[in-house]
Amino acid sequence: MTHNTPLSPRPLSHLSEAARQRVLTANSLRAHGIPVSEADARCRPGGPWQLLLPGVYLLHPGPPTSDERLHAALLYAGGECAPIPAQQGAASRTGGPATDVRPCTPPSPPSPPPPQTPQPPQAMITGLAALTLHGFDGAPSLRALDRIDVLVPWTRRLRSTGGVRVVRGQSLPDAEEITGVPVAPVARALADTVALLPDAGVVRRLLVESVRAGHCEAGAVVGELIRARLLGRPHVRLAVDALVAESRALAEGMLYEMVFRHRLPCPCWNVDLRLPGGPYLGGVDAFWPEQSVAVELDTRTPRPHLEADARWSEYARKREALEVLGITVVHLTPAKLRDSLGQQAAIVRTALMTAVEREPAEYVVVTPR
């Protein structure tokens, strides 16, 4: 037997139990002892198999399930398939007479294998299919999608074909595993979706749902849209405005819930502060005049650098001006309110209770916004 002798075919009936095993690449079939010529013969009209994508075979004649389509797309794009069990065979035997002689010294225990660093996936599901897997109500079902988008490194030489659209990225994010499938994070999947969607209404609904349903933060979405250079499109900018407004409204709702659920003193909501007869100091989301404590929600999102510099410098100027006057400013973000509402309430309560230990603040005029 030489190295060129093909392996004897293994029965493939056991591969019909799981969706991943019903979709195999040509290399995997070759490991089972089935050459490409035989696999192609089984894919002829009326045959038991199908050539689902170039080099990817479906081992049954019916239409592929959604799970099979996902795994076929990943295999085509370079993902790894499930390992094939080693073929069973007779154990190898060493020649020479048997002996009962034991060595005088016991053999040293084998050294443990070095830890293997998990390799990042070479491909992951993105676009609308990823949003569906993340649970977006506004995304269509996998069966309704004509194509499944797969994110691959920029250097991969791969073409979109059949039901797979190849999306290239200079840097791939850390994939999230959903039902055993590597999926792009929500913000990246949204950016890849928006890049191919001309419908302003659909783009707006998907962006708003991302924060309304708690899938991700508005800042993460806007950051990905900036990196993809999509904010220059008018319908995307309008959708981002709606996204920011939705994020702001949700954060204000969580702030109200924090005050009432944890029984904090009722503040003045959404007010402007100014010195008597003097300059305007800025607006805050909640203010306790007797304790001189203000809460400000930070719902800023990344913007192109010129606009971002102006917005951030204005925010820093306002906070510094209030603190110079003796007003304690508590900085809250939507993520903090969502993840640790009780902890943020304790921070505000501490600021209110320690007001008597601080120097009296300057008198300011409070007016509704």
Side-chain angles (χ1 to χ4, degrees):
M1 181 175 182
T2 67
H3 293 290
N4 296 326
T5 304
L7 297 174
S8 59
R10 294 185 62 214
L12 298 179
S13 57
H14 67 288
L15 297 180
S16 61
E17 299 175 357
R20 300 185 196 182
Q21 295 176 332
R22 294 196 299 262
V23 181
L24 293 179
T25 62
N27 290 336
S28 298
L29 290 173
R30 192 177 296 112
H32 280 281
I34 298 181
V36 174
S37 58
E38 182 177 344
D40 290 339
R42 299 190 184 193
C43 295
R44 292 171 183 170
W49 292 1
Q50 303 175 62
L51 184 63
L52 203 56
L53 292 166
V56 181
Y57 295 85
L58 181 64
L59 307 190
H60 65 79
T65 65
S66 298
D67 197 26
E68 289 168 348
R69 291 182 63 201
L70 291 173
H71 289 290
L74 289 171
L75 289 176
Y76 170 74
E80 292 295 332
C81 62
I84 299 174
Q87 293 190 11
Q88 302 295 329
S92 61
R93 300 176 180 178
T94 58
T99 176
D100 294 329
V101 178
R102 298 178 179 271
C104 297
T105 57
S108 58
S111 58
Q116 296 183 354
T117 304
Q119 297 296 324
Q122 294 298 311
M124 63 186 73
I125 303 298
T126 189
L128 280 173
L131 298 183
T132 301
L133 292 171
H134 279 294
F136 272 66
D137 293 333
S141 66
L142 293 176
R143 286 187 174 275
L145 292 176
D146 295 331
R147 287 191 174 189
I148 293 177
D149 297 330
V150 182
L151 180 61
V152 300
W154 185 264
T155 55
R156 291 294 308 280
R157 300 180 62 182
L158 200 65
R159 292 183 178 181
S160 300
T161 181
V164 175
R165 177 165 35 216
V166 175
V167 180
R168 290 180 174 83
Q170 292 186 349
S171 61
L172 265 61
D174 294 332
E176 300 179 14
E177 185 175 319
I178 302 177
T179 65
V181 176
V183 181
V186 170
R188 182 58 177 269
L190 275 170
D192 292 336
T193 300
V194 169
L196 300 171
L197 277 181
D199 191 323
V202 175
V203 171
R204 178 189 177 109
R205 286 195 298 272
L206 290 175
L207 294 189
V208 170
E209 183 182 349
S210 68
V211 297
R212 180 178 295 170
H215 292 294
C216 65
E217 297 295 328
V221 177
V222 178
E224 287 291 348
L225 294 176
I226 291 174
R227 279 188 283 273
R229 300 181 180 179
L230 295 173
L231 289 187
R233 303 180 184 182
H235 72 285
V236 175
R237 288 194 68 91
L238 291 176
V240 167
D241 291 340
L243 169 72
V244 173
E246 181 69 20
S247 176
R248 176 78 188 179
L250 289 173
E252 289 179 347
M254 289 186 289
L255 180 59
Y256 297 152
E257 181 182 359
M258 182 195 75
V259 169
F260 294 119
R261 177 191 292 186
H262 295 276
R263 300 184 178 181
L264 297 175
C266 189
C268 301
W269 296 105
N270 295 319
V271 294
D272 288 329
L273 305 179
R274 66 176 64 250
L275 290 173
Y280 171 70
L281 299 173
V284 294
D285 298 284
F287 184 63
W288 289 264
E290 294 183 3
Q291 295 85 2
S292 296
V293 173
V295 167
E296 183 165 23
L297 293 172
D298 184 4
T299 56
R300 293 169 297 172
T301 57
R303 297 282 181 167
H305 64 280
L306 295 178
E307 184 180 350
D309 291 343
R311 287 168 58 88
W312 282 58
S313 61
E314 175 65 20
Y315 173 82
R317 182 204 62 78
K318 178 177 65 174
R319 184 169 185 174
E320 181 180 357
L322 293 177
E323 291 179 345
V324 166
L325 296 174
I327 297 174
T328 301
V329 181
V330 180
H331 173 265
L332 299 179
T333 64
K336 290 179 180 179
L337 290 172
R338 185 186 64 248
D339 298 337
S340 57
L341 194 66
Q343 182 179 355
Q344 306 313 309
I347 293 173
V348 175
R349 180 177 286 108
T350 300
L352 295 173
M353 294 175 62
T354 57
V356 295
E357 304 173 5
R358 299 189 295 268
E359 293 292 331
E362 296 290 336
Y363 178 78
V364 294
V365 177
V366 181
T367 57
R369 268 200 282 192

